[in-house]
Amino acid sequence: MPYQLTPAADPMAIAERQYGTKKTEVRFTAFTSCIGIVSRTGDEVTGVHLSIKNENGELFDAAAIPQVMAALGANYTEVFIIGSIDIWQNPDNGVADAYAELERQVRDGVNEQDFNTYPLGNGTYGGEIEDDRLGPTYV
């Protein structure tokens, strides 16, 4: 079965391969080798939690990118990628090309100053609007 995203039941606990939207803040479940993409549209924040592999062990690939972009929505004004970015960029893990294309498409949706990356290790992260800017949260 191909890589599939599903809606999260709780946008304050977005699990692997899920996405969720909430007014002003979202949060992911713990990351090990995962990344999250957080976008802002108006006063709503959307988070997409991506794992390197799906439940069947199949790698994230370019075919999954349209799902991610659809979950983020077409009108976001700020966006960032957070988490184990270095793992995704490592060619030995099999997702580096797909990650590069994903980052390019995500970045293309906003002005340069409205895109950021936060390469971090394992942890629990999210995003929120504070002082009218989208930024990361750390639990």
Side-chain angles (χ1 to χ4, degrees):
M1 172 177 271
Y3 199 97
Q4 200 81 11
L5 294 177
T6 59
D10 181 358
M12 293 301 286
I14 302 169
E16 290 182 358
R17 296 175 308 281
Q18 292 184 346
Y19 61 92
T21 300
K22 185 174 180 261
K23 201 171 202 99
T24 71
E25 182 180 13
V26 295
R27 188 172 304 146
F28 301 108
T29 58
F31 286 0
T32 51
S33 60
C34 298
I35 59 171
I37 303 175
V38 180
S39 67
R40 174 186 182 182
T41 304
D43 64 353
E44 291 192 330
V45 178
T46 298
V48 182
H49 187 156
L50 300 174
S51 60
I52 287 181
K53 295 180 180 178
N54 69 11
E55 66 278 6
N56 297 319
E58 297 165 345
L59 292 171
F60 179 90
D61 61 13
I65 295 172
Q67 289 182 76
V68 176
M69 298 309 293
L72 293 174
N75 299 316
Y76 60 89
T77 57
E78 295 178 79
V79 66
F80 64 82
I81 301 173
I82 192 167
S84 301
I85 295 169
D86 59 332
I87 293 173
W88 283 63
Q89 291 175 324
N90 182 338
D92 293 341
N93 294 320
V95 295
D97 290 342
Y99 173 80
E101 179 59 20
L102 174 66
E103 183 179 312
R104 184 192 68 74
Q105 288 190 34
V106 167
R107 180 188 303 263
D108 282 353
V110 294
N111 295 321
E112 184 177 335
Q113 70 272 14
D114 295 323
F115 172 80
N116 210 337
T117 58
Y118 299 95
L120 303 169
N122 296 345
T124 304
Y125 310 113
E128 70 178 342
I129 300 170
E130 187 174 327
D131 297 326
D132 203 35
R133 289 295 295 170
L134 179 66
T137 59
Y138 314 94
V139 179

